[in-house]
């Protein structure tokens, strides 16, 4: 927190994006959201920012950001690094949907 800047004006600017995922902003819980490279402290406080893994076999990722405020010129932080640890889960086998009828038609001439 910055005592002389509102949370709306403390900005996180991603300067090195993650390689195995993306930083997402979800404005409302019902939506997946969209990738971002800039977000505010208020976005974090409101739980709108999250990391989405892209599903590969990489289980550690990172991204770098700098902080700025609303001063003119803005105060800038040193580069900060976030390391993301991804917990792998077993791939699920496909399941047949209830009520599905399976059939296969093969022509004798083929």
């Amino acid at each position: 927190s910055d005592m002389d800047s509102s949370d709306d004006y403390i900005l996180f600017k991603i300067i090195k994006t993650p390689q195995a995922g993306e930083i997402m902003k979800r404005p409302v819980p019902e939506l997946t959201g969209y990738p971002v490279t800039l977000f505010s402290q208020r976005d974090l406080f409101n739980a709108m920012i999250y990391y989405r893994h892209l599903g590969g076999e990489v289980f550690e990722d990172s991204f770098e950001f700098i902080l700025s405020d609303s001063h003119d010129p803005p105060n800038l932080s040193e580069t900060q690094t976030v390391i993301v640890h991804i917990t792998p889960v077993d791939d699920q086998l496909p399941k047949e949907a209830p009520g599905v009828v399976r059939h296969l038609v093969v022509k004798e001439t083929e």
Side-chain angles (χ1 to χ4, degrees):
S1 282
D2 183 344
M3 301 311 268
D4 62 347
S5 293
S6 163
D7 292 335
D8 294 317
Y9 298 111
I10 298 174
L11 299 177
F12 291 72
K13 181 178 182 181
I14 298 173
I15 57 173
K16 181 178 175 267
T17 58
Q19 300 300 300
E22 51 195 358
I23 305 304
M24 304 288 290
K25 181 174 181 177
R26 179 180 16 224
V28 293
E30 299 80 32
L31 299 177
T32 302
Y34 48 89
V36 293
T37 57
L38 185 71
F39 55 90
S40 71
Q41 180 74 41
R42 173 124 13 246
D43 295 335
L44 281 178
F45 286 159
N46 290 331
M48 294 179 170
I49 304 300
Y50 70 99
Y51 173 89
R52 179 172 70 176
H53 186 235
L54 296 176
E57 296 296 317
V58 176
F59 304 118
E60 184 173 288
D61 204 355
S62 65
F63 62 95
E64 295 178 359
F65 67 90
I66 56 172
L67 289 168
S68 65
D69 63 14
S70 59
H71 292 275
D72 190 17
N75 294 307
L76 299 174
S77 73
E78 293 183 15
T79 299
Q80 305 295 311
T81 302
V82 174
I83 297 174
V84 179
H85 297 279
I86 300 145
T87 303
V89 295
D90 290 334
D91 294 335
Q92 299 293 316
L93 294 173
K95 293 181 182 176
E96 189 173 285
V100 171
V101 177
R102 291 181 275 151
H103 69 277
L104 177 65
V105 175
V106 178
K107 295 180 181 178
E108 287 187 41
T109 58
E110 293 182 359

